Structure formats: structure tokens, C-alpha cells
């Protein structure tokens, strides 16, 4: 979770009216309350899913969480919503295996760190690399009894639907099936969309929908559909809205997906990632 002094500091900055927590992370007077609601909200909906009150949930929360450390803010994130909910679920329900899928364009460095030596959590991240925050290489795989429970899929700038779906089908699906999670949490970041100016990927709304379809299929097959999606990044509001709606549609089983932005205009050469996929499969003994 988080250091008590850090939580007090965030509260104090909000009470003063505003302030910067790190070079990227600015706060307003309402940010502390929003961050508490985000952190508590994801914990609460995870309970709702675990108690069988609903099959799956999507928490529309901000600030995002996957860069937030134990004792400081980082990269727009105040509290680590998904990591905290995962820890609560492990403790409350005595779960043995929780899967976290993180498709935000940035590596979830502090979610990875929170579970680096915890064999009960499989963290799989697709992210632009090299890029902020600098972590997420294929060599970071977990330590001790948790060796192999971190699967990083660092993708070159320009990767789009084809590359992401290839990675999902060839790495994420077999690794998830092997791990047999009892619950799946998703750090759903939509800054991977081609229109998002924070990064250089080329995923479309349709691509996100296909990824969500795969995750939903895994949830149905492996853990009675128990899925908790939590919003991370996504800074082009049109792309964010359309991508989140497509995610809702997929979770609700709607067949028609609206993609008002369409495919990326040709901006980058599509990178070849066959050798990268092969290398990751070798590292993690995936057939
Ligand atoms: Zn991000």
C-alpha cells in the first residue's frame, strides 16, 4: 500500500490548494479526494466481483495508478489503484493466483515492483520501449520464488493492432492459461491509441476492442469471468472516449463496435516483432 507520511503529504498539498508532487504530477485541491476515491473504488469493485455480485467491472477513475510508488507520486499517479486492489484481494480472499494485464503505453513500473518477488501475481505488460519510465525490459522477470511471474513485452514505437494482437495471442493467452488465475485485473491505458500524442503507438479503437475480447475470453475460461478493469492513461479525449466505450461494448457482449477515428494514417513503418516474440517465448518457456 502506501507510507502514512506520504498519504498525509498528499492531503496537506490538497489543503494548501495545489502543488507539484514530482516533475510530471500536479495536484489541485480536489486531487486528494479523487485519488482516495480511485484507490478505494478499485478495491471496492474488486470485492463486488469476488463476492459474485457482478461478473466484471470497469472503474472510470483518475488519477491513474501504475507508476505510484509506496512513498511517492510519479507520472500522474498518486496511489497505485490496481496494485492496492490486488494486495487486498490476495489478503481478503486468500487467493493464490491473480493476473494483472497492463496495456497502457507506459510500463507499469511500480505495479511490477510491488509484486516482483510475489509468486501469487503474474504481471504482464505491453508498452512502448524504450520510453518513460525506462523500465520493462524482457530481462525483468521477477525474483526468487516469483521468477517468471513478470512478463514484459516491450514494443517498438509504431506498433499497432497487428503487433498487439499477435503478442496477445502468442504470449499473453498461453501464459495466462498456464498460470490459471482466479481473478484478472487490467490496467487499461488508452494512450496506446494512434491519436494520443503522449506516445507513438498506432493501436485503433477496434484494436482495443479485440484485446478486450481476448481478455474477456480468458476470464470466462479461467476464472468465472472475474475481471476488474481500471482506467490508467489516455489523453486524447476523443480516442479515450471511443476506446472506453468499445471496452464497455465488449464486456457487455455487444457485437457492433463503433470506431469513429478509424485506423492510423500511415505515420511509421510497421516494425517487425517476430524475433522479439520468439525471444520472450523462450525466456518464459512458452510453447
Ligand atoms: Zn500511460
Amino acid at each position: 500500500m502506501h507510507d502514512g507520511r506520504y498519504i498525509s503529504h498528499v492531503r496537506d498539498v490538497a489543503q494548501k490548494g495545489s502543488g507539484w508532487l514530482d516533475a510530471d504530477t500536479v495536484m489541485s485541491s480536489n486531487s486528494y479526494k479523487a485519488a482516495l476515491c480511485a484507490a478505494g473504488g478499485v478495491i471496492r469493485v474488486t470485492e463486488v466481483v469476488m463476492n459474485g455480485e457482478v461478473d466484471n467491472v470497469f472503474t472510470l477513475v483518475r488519477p491513474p495508478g501504475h507508476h505510484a510508488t509506496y512513498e511517492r507520486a510519479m507520472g500522474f499517479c498518486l496511489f497505485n489503484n490496481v496494485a492496492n486492489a490486488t494486495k487486498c484481494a490476495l489478503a481478503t480472499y486468500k487467493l493464490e493466483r491473480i493476473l494483472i494485464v497492463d496495456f497502457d503505453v507506459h510500463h507499469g513500473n511500480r505495479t511490477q515492483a510491488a509484486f516482483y518477488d510475489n509468486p501469487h501475481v503474474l504481471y504482464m505488460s505491453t508498452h512502448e520501449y524504450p520510453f518513460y519510465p525506462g523500465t520493462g525490459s524482457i530481462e525483468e522477470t521477477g525474483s526468487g520464488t516469483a521468477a517468471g511471474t513478470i512478463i514484459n513485452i516491450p514494443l517498438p514505437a509504431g506498433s499497432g493492432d497487428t503487433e498487439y494482437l499477435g503478442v496477445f495471442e502468442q504470449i499473453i493467452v498461453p501464459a495466462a492459461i498456464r498460470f490459471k488465475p482466479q481473478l484478472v485485473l487490467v490496467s487499461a491505458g488508452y494512450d496506446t491509441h494512434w491519436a494520443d500524442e503522449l506516445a507513438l503507438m498506432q493501436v485503433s479503437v477496434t484494436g482495443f476492442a479485440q484485446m478486450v475480447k481476448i481478455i474477456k475470453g480468458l476470464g470466462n475460461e479461467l476464472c468465472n469471468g472475474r475481471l476488474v478493469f481500471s482506467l490508467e492513461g489516455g489523453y486524447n479525449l476523443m480516442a479515450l472516449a471511443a476506446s472506453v466505450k468499445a471496452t464497455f461494448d465488449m464486456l457487455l457482449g455487444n457485437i457492433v463496435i463503433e470506431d469513429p477515428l478509424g485506423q492510423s494514417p500511415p505515420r511509421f513503418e510497421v516494425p517487425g516483432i517476430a524475433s522479439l516474440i520468439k525471444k520472450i517465448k523462450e525466456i518464459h518457456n512458452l510453447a
Side-chain angles (χ1 to χ4, degrees):
M1 300 296 189
H2 296 281
D3 181 66
R5 284 164 301 180
Y6 166 59
I7 297 171
S8 302
H9 174 63
V10 176
R11 185 196 58 209
D12 293 345
V13 174
Q15 280 173 355
K16 280 182 203 144
S18 64
W20 291 85
L21 296 178
D22 85 337
D24 302 309
T25 313
V26 67
M27 275 185 65
S28 74
S29 58
N30 292 316
S31 298
Y32 177 63
K33 192 176 173 196
L36 286 183
C37 289
V42 183
I43 290 170
R44 177 66 192 126
V45 297
T46 302
E47 291 171 354
V48 167
V49 168
M50 284 307 301
N51 293 341
E53 295 169 51
V54 296
D55 294 332
N56 54 55
V57 293
F58 190 111
T59 52
L60 268 176
V61 294
R62 283 280 166 84
H66 68 165
H67 301 308
T69 84
Y70 175 70
E71 69 224 333
R72 64 186 175 87
M74 182 177 174
F76 313 156
C77 301
L78 301 194
F79 304 132
N80 197 323
N81 309 320
V82 166
N84 291 338
T86 301
K87 286 183 180 176
C88 285
L90 286 171
T92 306
Y93 299 96
K94 309 280 183 269
L95 296 182
E96 292 291 316
R97 294 174 310 281
I98 296 180
L99 166 63
I100 300 173
V101 178
D102 185 336
F103 60 68
D104 189 279
V105 80
H106 303 96
H107 181 239
N109 56 319
R110 297 310 296 196
T111 304
Q112 169 175 295
F115 302 109
Y116 206 74
D117 57 359
N118 188 331
H120 302 293
V121 177
L122 173 61
Y123 176 72
M124 291 198 271
S125 173
T126 53
H127 44 274
E128 184 175 328
Y129 188 87
F131 197 45
Y132 183 90
T135 50
S137 78
I138 57 175
E139 283 86 20
E140 296 161 24
T141 58
S143 65
T145 56
T149 60
I150 303 290
I151 301 183
N152 280 314
I153 305 161
L155 294 167
S159 297
D161 295 354
T162 306
E163 290 72 34
Y164 271 80
L165 293 175
V167 155
F168 265 67
E169 283 162 7
Q170 294 181 63
I171 298 172
I172 291 180
V173 167
I177 290 172
R178 182 174 68 187
F179 187 67
K180 299 185 182 69
Q182 297 157 294
L183 170 69
V184 179
L185 285 95
V186 182
S187 270
Y190 297 92
D191 38 11
T192 321
H193 192 278
W194 63 262
D196 198 299
E197 293 184 352
L198 220 68
L200 296 169
M201 293 312 210
Q202 302 192 91
V203 173
S204 71
V205 171
T206 305
F208 283 121
Q210 294 305 312
M211 287 189 250
V212 172
K213 186 179 181 184
I214 291 171
I215 294 169
K216 188 183 178 192
L218 286 171
N220 287 341
E221 185 183 335
L222 301 172
C223 53
N224 299 323
R226 290 201 285 247
L227 298 173
V228 176
F229 281 70
S230 183
L231 183 63
E232 297 280 359
Y235 305 98
N236 176 307
L237 296 184
M238 270 182 66
L240 176 62
S243 302
V244 169
K245 181 177 181 298
T247 301
F248 289 175
D249 282 330
M250 271 297 161
L251 292 176
L252 291 166
N254 297 336
I255 295 165
V256 180
I257 298 297
E258 295 165 35
D259 185 352
L261 289 91
Q263 292 291 311
S264 173
R267 296 188 304 168
F268 303 100
E269 190 110 340
V270 177
I273 60 163
S275 62
L276 173 71
I277 291 177
K278 188 165 173 275
K279 213 166 172 182
I280 296 170
K281 287 172 78 168
E282 281 169 11
I283 289 173
H284 290 281
N285 297 314
L286 293 166

